[in-house]
Amino acid sequence: MNESESVRIGLIIGTTRPNRFADVPAQWLVRGAAERSDLVLEVLDLRDWPIPMFEEPAPPTATGGVYTNPVCERWRRKLVEFDGFIATVAEYNHGPTAVLKNALDSALLEWKDKPISFVGYGGVGGARAIEQLRLNVIELHMAPIRNAVHIGLDPFLGVLTKGKSLDDYPFLGTARTAMFDQLVWWARALEAARRATAVVASITE
Ligand SMILES: Cc1cc2nc3c(=O)[nH]c(=O)nc-3n(C[C@H](O)[C@H](O)[C@H](O)COP(=O)(O)O)c2cc1C
């Protein structure tokens, strides 16, 4: 990948319940990404990925990252297409949603050495769930980046109850731009590092 090429980012929608708020930040991210030439965002809606609650007979670390469940196999093969990820993050009882954590558990090698950032919403902008997710993804050899977007109580309620849009909160747009900038930087850096490692491995085979 050179500087003129776009990085491919998967946007994981981290909740699946009917009437979810997640579509609001997801569409806002898609709109923001469309204004940039350095990244291409593809939505990975977990509603479209009926990944079972983890039911593998062996941990993926013991199987070389292979899953018996065909949906998990499709999921992990899809993730190969991306250089980095963003997840929308709701906070359920001060933690990440089970469906998002389960999606993370349902692939292994395909996450490795790729950056991820988070767009949280709720009482404290999803901050508590995002902090937990950062720890989880380190175990997957991902690079959680510093920049995130936190849609706190005021914009969250503004959208839900006052007919506002996230575009009415310029500080969120600033945070989105900074997050995209950092994510692209990390995606390029880690893609080059993955490529260099692959070249060295092929030479030493
Ligand atoms: C089971 C459950 C637990 C929740 N716990 C929290 C919480 O700990 N902190 C918070 O800010 N919001 C909490 N909420 C409110 C959510 O922020 C709000 O419902 C949000 O819209 C959920 O995201 P979703 O609409 O995309 O599912 C909770 C909601 C549910 C359904």
Side-chain angles (χ1 to χ4, degrees), residues 137-152:
V137 299
I138 287 170
E139 186 58 15
L140 291 165
H141 294 267
M142 301 187 87
I145 70 167
R146 185 258 178 203
N147 290 81
V149 179
H150 297 282
I151 301 165

Side-chain angles (χ1 to χ4, degrees), residues 18-30:
N19 206 31
R20 66 185 175 189
F21 183 79
D23 293 305
V24 172
Q27 284 161 19
W28 174 76
L29 289 164
V30 167

Side-chain angles (χ1 to χ4, degrees), residues 5-24:
E5 279 181 73
S6 305
V7 301
R8 297 159 303 169
I9 303 295
L11 170 60
I12 302 169
I13 303 187
T15 56
T16 52
R17 70 181 185 90
N19 206 31
R20 66 185 175 189
F21 183 79
D23 293 305
V24 172

Side-chain angles (χ1 to χ4, degrees), residues 40-94:
V40 172
L41 204 61
E42 181 175 334
V43 172
L44 298 171
D45 189 340
L46 294 180
R47 279 183 183 161
D48 300 330
W49 292 88
I51 300 167
M53 192 53 78
F54 195 89
E55 60 179 18
E56 293 292 312
T61 44
T63 64
V66 174
Y67 289 71
T68 61
N69 184 281
V71 184
C72 298
E73 278 295 292
R74 265 203 307 122
W75 172 240
R76 76 181 185 92
R77 284 166 204 279
K78 180 67 186 171
L79 300 180
V80 172
E81 296 174 19
F82 301 101
D83 303 309
F85 300 92
I86 300 171
T88 65
V89 177
E91 202 169 83
Y92 286 179
N93 296 314
H94 290 199

